[in-house]
Amino acid sequence: MSRPIYTFALCLATAVMLAGCTVGPDFVQPDSHLPDHKTFAGRTFSDAHLPKPTDPTWWKVFGDPVLTNLESRVAEANLDVRTATIRIAESRYQRSATASAEFPSINGNAKYQRELYSKNGIVSLLTPLLPPGTGGINIQPINEYNVGLDMSWELDLWGHVRRQIEAADAQVDQAEDRRRDALVSVLAELASDYIQLRGVQEQIRIAENNLKVDREVLQLAQQLQQKGVRSGLDTENAAAQVEGIRAQLPNLHQQQIQYMNAIALLLDLPPSTLNAELAPRRAIPRSPPRIPLGIPSELARRRPDIRIAEDQLHVATANIGVAVANFYPKFQLNGTVGLDSLEFSNLFKASSLQYMAGPSVTLPIFDGARLASMLELSDAQQAEAAITYHKTVLQAWHEVVNAMAAHRLEQTRRTRLRAQLDHTRAALDLARSRYNDGVTDFLSVLDAERSLLQNEQQYATSTTNVSLNLVTLFKALGGGWEQTFPDAPGPAIAQAGN
């Protein structure tokens, strides 16, 4: 083929490739089937009074500066988030490798070889053809020098490569959403550990206060026994009450250490690193009376797991196009150009030029139904991904409703426990007064003290659970919509190696 004809053929093939179709179904964003955006928590809102969207920095609603400081550090420090950031870079590199199939492949080569043909090989067939008396063929070793380029280009007429790139793009999106999912989970886990830490510290405070009061009661019982006013039974009962409270403290201190170390682990710190920062007691972070939760129609946009399921459905849809394209012929342009000479001094002369160029076509005829099976597999994977997406959305909506109910009902329970606690304190004051007046026995005082301790602990636990349920609710809502992430894999890789 002459050069003008070859150039024309190449341009024509390029034009056909650019105008080529893309086989297989196009991805359509699935319907989440979430409730209408004007309906939320059983209430209907007008467009002018829709709930405000969830604050991405939702932990600030607790008004705890220590918690806010810890949450601001977790995105850069947490190992899971940093690993997810590196995986985004990996998926982008894989996407680039897939996209390289759109372009020609060119490889350079150079070769030198010294070769000696066998006298008993194919050359021996030429001996009878020589004139008599020539003495046969004189075989000498030869040198061969070769440099050149090999080129190939598969024309993506049916969108085989374009569908692969589409799937790779969806996998990049999936990696980004997995990082968002990791960050949302870590933010919620840190807040939960912090709230439970403060809850344990409140339990320690309650136990220590009750221990102080019960020691005073024990001292009073011992004095009355020495005076002969009361028997030793009162003293022993008071001593048992003191030891019972003291027995609770080691377990509470152990929980405090575990929660502080759990927070340190989330921040990629050694154990006990945060003790100085977290050991000073603070009140349990309280849930505010009104909480901005957003609207249900935003749930599919915020929840990382829903977005991950959608990305997987996109990948599965694009893979159907890849499977369909495998049924069509593959057109490829091939070419080789090089210099070949038996003497190095002649290698770079024009007369040493040699080349080969031409198209090739590969058409699948019989493959044992492999292509049909791969297409059916892709269809089944898409159907599975669609069901997974539907289930993920449905499960997310259930989690939101359950979290809202748990938060609301625990608030009601805490209110009832607060009223019970007030009555228990009044009962204890009355029991002590009646005991001092000799109207009732010492067991009534001990029972009232036990009830007070139990009610104070229940109230503290309920206060902790209200805040924990709010964290669960924010997580169920997708944790807001975080826009800032540690997006530099270089430093993350460097730190991971330390």
Side-chain angles (χ1 to χ4, degrees):
M1 181 184 295
S2 64
R3 181 172 296 179
I5 296 177
Y6 178 75
T7 303
F8 173 79
L10 180 61
C11 294
L12 179 62
T14 304
V16 172
M17 182 195 68
L18 295 176
C21 63
T22 303
V23 297
D26 293 326
F27 175 72
V28 178
Q29 187 173 10
D31 186 357
S32 64
H33 298 289
L34 288 171
D36 182 77
H37 73 283
K38 295 182 180 180
T39 303
F40 184 67
R43 299 175 59 191
T44 301
F45 301 87
S46 64
D47 291 335
H49 299 88
L50 286 175
K52 294 182 180 180
T54 307
D55 186 355
T57 56
W58 49 263
W59 50 87
K60 293 183 179 179
V61 302
F62 293 109
D64 191 309
V66 178
L67 175 59
T68 300
N69 178 266
L70 293 171
E71 296 283 12
S72 67
R73 294 149 57 182
V74 71
E76 290 289 347
N78 183 259
L79 296 178
D80 291 334
V81 177
R82 284 160 56 187
T83 300
T85 299
I86 296 175
R87 286 175 179 165
I88 292 176
E90 292 173 357
S91 65
R92 289 172 180 167
Y93 298 145
Q94 291 173 347
R95 190 268 181 202
S96 298
T98 301
S100 64
E102 287 187 307
F103 304 96
S105 173
I106 303 176
N107 298 306
N109 57 75
K111 181 178 68 174
Y112 162 76
Q113 63 183 18
R114 183 174 178 82
E115 186 171 359
L116 175 65
Y117 290 98
S118 171
K119 293 181 180 182
N120 299 322
I122 193 172
V123 176
S124 64
L125 299 177
L126 302 176
T127 302
L129 302 178
L130 297 175
T134 58
I137 298 177
N138 184 19
I139 300 177
Q140 299 291 333
I142 61 174
N143 297 319
E144 184 177 9
Y145 302 89
N146 181 281
V147 294
L149 297 173
D150 293 329
M151 295 165 284
S152 64
W153 189 9
E154 182 178 342
L155 305 180
D156 189 28
L157 299 181
W158 320 115
H160 182 271
V161 176
R162 292 195 292 277
R163 287 301 191 192
Q164 287 180 324
I165 295 174
E166 181 184 351
D169 286 334
Q171 288 172 337
V172 172
D173 294 337
Q174 189 177 48
E176 293 175 347
D177 289 324
R178 288 192 184 280
R179 178 180 62 177
R180 182 172 289 108
D181 188 42
L183 180 56
V184 168
S185 298
V186 168
L187 291 170
E189 184 177 356
L190 190 148
S192 296
D193 288 342
Y194 181 82
I195 291 170
Q196 291 180 88
L197 169 65
R198 298 310 183 193
V200 168
Q201 290 178 340
E202 177 65 13
Q203 297 280 3
I204 293 174
R205 185 194 67 79
I206 292 171
E208 289 177 346
N209 287 345
N210 279 269
L211 181 60
K212 180 180 178 181
V213 173
D214 286 346
R215 280 174 174 169
E216 293 175 353
V217 172
L218 173 59
Q219 184 178 6
L220 175 61
Q222 290 172 340
Q223 292 175 353
L224 294 176
Q225 180 185 2
Q226 292 174 357
K227 295 178 180 179
V229 178
R230 298 290 181 180
S231 67
L233 180 60
D234 291 351
T235 302
E236 294 300 327
N237 285 330
Q241 179 83 347
V242 169
E243 295 301 328
I245 297 177
R246 292 179 61 184
Q248 297 179 13
L249 289 173
N251 182 52
L252 294 174
H253 284 295
Q254 178 186 357
Q255 294 181 41
Q256 176 179 244
I257 294 173
Q258 289 176 342
Y259 285 124
M260 289 191 294
N261 288 339
I263 295 173
L265 179 60
L266 293 175
L267 296 175
D268 186 26
L269 296 173
S272 305
T273 306
L274 297 177
N275 287 9
E277 182 177 354
L278 298 178
R281 298 176 187 172
R282 295 182 62 91
I284 301 172
R286 302 295 290 264
S287 172
R290 299 182 62 85
I291 309 164
L293 297 178
I295 51 181
S297 60
E298 295 178 347
L299 187 61
R301 186 179 67 88
R302 290 198 305 258
R303 288 263 308 209
D305 56 342
I306 295 179
R307 296 173 60 86
I308 291 170
E310 181 181 326
D311 296 333
Q312 186 57 45
L313 179 59
H314 193 170
V315 172
T317 304
N319 285 337
I320 293 178
V322 175
V324 172
N326 287 331
F327 285 88
Y328 291 81
K330 293 183 179 180
F331 295 87
Q332 188 165 338
L333 300 178
N334 303 296
T336 300
V337 60
L339 300 172
D340 187 82
S341 175
L342 297 179
E343 296 181 1
F344 185 77
S345 59
N346 296 327
L347 179 62
F348 295 100
K349 293 182 179 180
S351 57
S352 299
L353 175 66
Q354 63 180 17
Y355 67 87
M356 179 278 293
S360 64
V361 179
T362 302
L363 177 64
I365 297 177
F366 177 77
D367 63 354
R370 181 183 64 85
L371 295 181
S373 297
M374 294 304 297
L375 178 57
E376 291 174 354
L377 174 62
S378 298
D379 288 335
Q381 289 174 336
Q382 186 201 39
E384 179 185 359
I387 293 175
T388 300
Y389 175 83
H390 177 72
K391 179 182 178 181
T392 302
V393 173
L394 185 62
Q395 183 173 346
W397 187 234
H398 275 269
E399 289 178 2
V400 171
V401 173
N402 291 339
M404 291 178 63
H407 181 255
R408 174 175 53 83
L409 294 175
E410 188 63 37
Q411 284 182 312
T412 302
R413 178 173 179 269
R414 183 181 61 181
T415 301
R416 301 292 181 265
L417 288 174
R418 179 65 191 184
Q420 182 186 22
L421 181 59
D422 293 338
H423 290 302
T424 304
R425 285 174 176 164
L428 176 59
D429 291 339
L430 182 60
R432 287 176 176 171
S433 177
R434 291 171 61 84
Y435 174 74
N436 292 335
D437 294 339
V439 178
T440 186
D441 58 9
F442 189 67
L443 291 178
S444 299
V445 177
L446 292 180
D447 288 340
E449 288 178 347
R450 293 191 190 100
S451 297
L452 178 61
L453 174 61
Q454 181 180 5
N455 291 342
E456 286 180 333
Q457 292 174 335
Q458 289 179 344
Y459 180 75
T461 300
S462 180
T463 302
T464 302
N465 288 338
V466 169
S467 298
L468 289 176
N469 290 339
L470 181 57
V471 172
T472 301
L473 178 56
F474 278 125
K475 183 181 178 181
L477 291 167
W481 185 239
E482 287 74 17
Q483 299 285 359
T484 304
F485 297 95
D487 199 21
I493 294 175
Q495 292 174 10
N498 292 337

